[in-house]
Amino acid sequence: FENTVREIPGHVFAVASPDGVDPCDLRLAEGDVALRERFISPVPLAQFVLDQILDEGVLDSVQGRFEAVEGVRSVLSMIPDRFLVSEYARYAAGRLGVRSEELTARLSRRRVEEAKEVAELSLRQALEWEALKVLVQCPEVKDWPYSVEVEDFSDSVYRGAAGIILPSPVGDVDSMLASCTTDFGRDFITRAAVEPLGVVEGSDRGVYGVSVLARLLVQAADAHIFELKSGLSNDVNGEMSRQLVSMANHRKVLLTHI
């Protein structure tokens, strides 16, 4: 549905095949007239998809209604025309027995949440890329006492690059390039080596590099703390609680380097 909305301009209609019969088989068996008669009432594609969701949903149960509302919300989020969104929200709300404002409000909240998630992801990726550049370009941070690990990178591509960069001495680009086994890896490290760092001209590169790595480790610590807190209900022997205290203290120390 989403690809169709994006790629096909104008109005798109759909119709259910009666009894699940393949239109080609029906045409061969009964001719063009029968085909036209059997498929005489097409509906807009969005309405067709909404009807499928609502017809298949168990609307007399709380869980079923919740799943149907979420399905409707998902369809509405793919429709670019705000007027159509409003009209289809009114249509679906009528079938669900709820106010259309509830559906559009839920859609608006989800759009805000998705925008925040995209922004947070972009910020994480930007930080991880800057940290890789520091490790490639900035030997001034080699004596910093806190080590960066592959697991500190959340992005899979950056984690793979870190696996190449980290075993080599900080700033030793030749060593990093020598350890690459693919053109992609060599191109990636070359780019990390030539793209300027975000340090202000005239500022201490070492201090800047340490602050970037500290922010990376704080980000990794936050993720670890979240995981530990999520599992505290199963912390029988108190090990998770001890790790949580230790990680929180480690995070406080890292913040002093930012």
Side-chain angles (χ1 to χ4, degrees), residues 118-189:
V118 169
E120 289 171 1
L121 176 61
S122 297
L123 288 173
R124 286 199 302 272
Q125 289 177 330
L127 174 58
E128 292 180 9
W129 170 239
E130 190 69 9
L132 290 173
K133 287 161 50 182
V134 166
L135 293 169
V136 171
Q137 297 184 34
C138 196
E140 293 91 339
V141 303
K142 63 182 175 58
D143 295 326
W144 193 52
Y146 301 99
S147 61
V148 175
E149 306 293 341
V150 171
E151 294 75 17
D152 296 327
F153 294 85
S154 60
D155 184 274
S156 58
V157 173
Y158 293 165
R159 193 181 299 125
I164 299 171
I165 293 170
L166 290 174
S168 300
V170 176
D172 189 345
V173 179
D174 291 337
S175 176
M176 296 172 190
L177 290 173
S179 65
C180 290
T181 58
T182 65
D183 289 339
F184 176 80
R186 283 185 284 272
D187 290 344
F188 190 97
I189 296 204

Side-chain angles (χ1 to χ4, degrees), residues 82-94:
R82 293 301 176 90
F83 175 77
L84 289 178
V85 169
S86 176
E87 290 300 303
Y88 283 126
R90 186 174 294 109
Y91 170 78

Side-chain angles (χ1 to χ4, degrees), residues 42-229:
V43 297
L45 179 60
Q47 180 181 331
F48 181 80
V49 175
L50 289 173
D51 284 338
Q52 285 189 316
I53 292 171
L54 297 170
D55 289 341
E56 294 172 2
V58 184
L59 303 184
D60 57 354
S61 73
V62 174
Q63 183 63 30
R65 288 170 64 81
F66 172 79
E67 291 174 355
V69 169
E70 283 301 293
V72 169
R73 183 202 61 75
S74 177
V75 172
L76 296 181
S77 70
M78 301 177 199
I79 300 174
D81 189 306
R82 293 301 176 90
F83 175 77
L84 289 178
V85 169
S86 176
E87 290 300 303
Y88 283 126
R90 186 174 294 109
Y91 170 78
R95 291 204 52 188
L96 284 165
V98 300
R99 294 167 54 242
S100 61
E101 291 81 0
E102 292 180 28
L103 290 181
T104 52
R106 181 169 297 194
L107 175 61
S108 298
R109 286 196 300 270
R110 185 55 189 153
R111 279 178 171 160
V112 171
E113 291 169 2
E114 289 172 350
K116 287 174 62 177
E117 289 168 2
V118 169
E120 289 171 1
L121 176 61
S122 297
L123 288 173
R124 286 199 302 272
Q125 289 177 330
L127 174 58
E128 292 180 9
W129 170 239
E130 190 69 9
L132 290 173
K133 287 161 50 182
V134 166
L135 293 169
V136 171
Q137 297 184 34
C138 196
E140 293 91 339
V141 303
K142 63 182 175 58
D143 295 326
W144 193 52
Y146 301 99
S147 61
V148 175
E149 306 293 341
V150 171
E151 294 75 17
D152 296 327
F153 294 85
S154 60
D155 184 274
S156 58
V157 173
Y158 293 165
R159 193 181 299 125
I164 299 171
I165 293 170
L166 290 174
S168 300
V170 176
D172 189 345
V173 179
D174 291 337
S175 176
M176 296 172 190
L177 290 173
S179 65
C180 290
T181 58
T182 65
D183 289 339
F184 176 80
R186 283 185 284 272
D187 290 344
F188 190 97
I189 296 204
T190 300
R191 181 186 161 205
V194 300
E195 185 174 305
L197 294 172
V199 60
V200 177
E201 186 175 354
S203 299
D204 189 306
R205 284 168 53 90
V207 172
Y208 173 78
V210 164
S211 72
V212 170
L213 298 183
R215 282 190 287 130
L216 175 73
L217 296 186
V218 167
Q219 175 178 282
D222 287 340
H224 193 194
I225 288 171
F226 178 80
E227 290 177 4
L228 289 171
K229 286 183 176 179

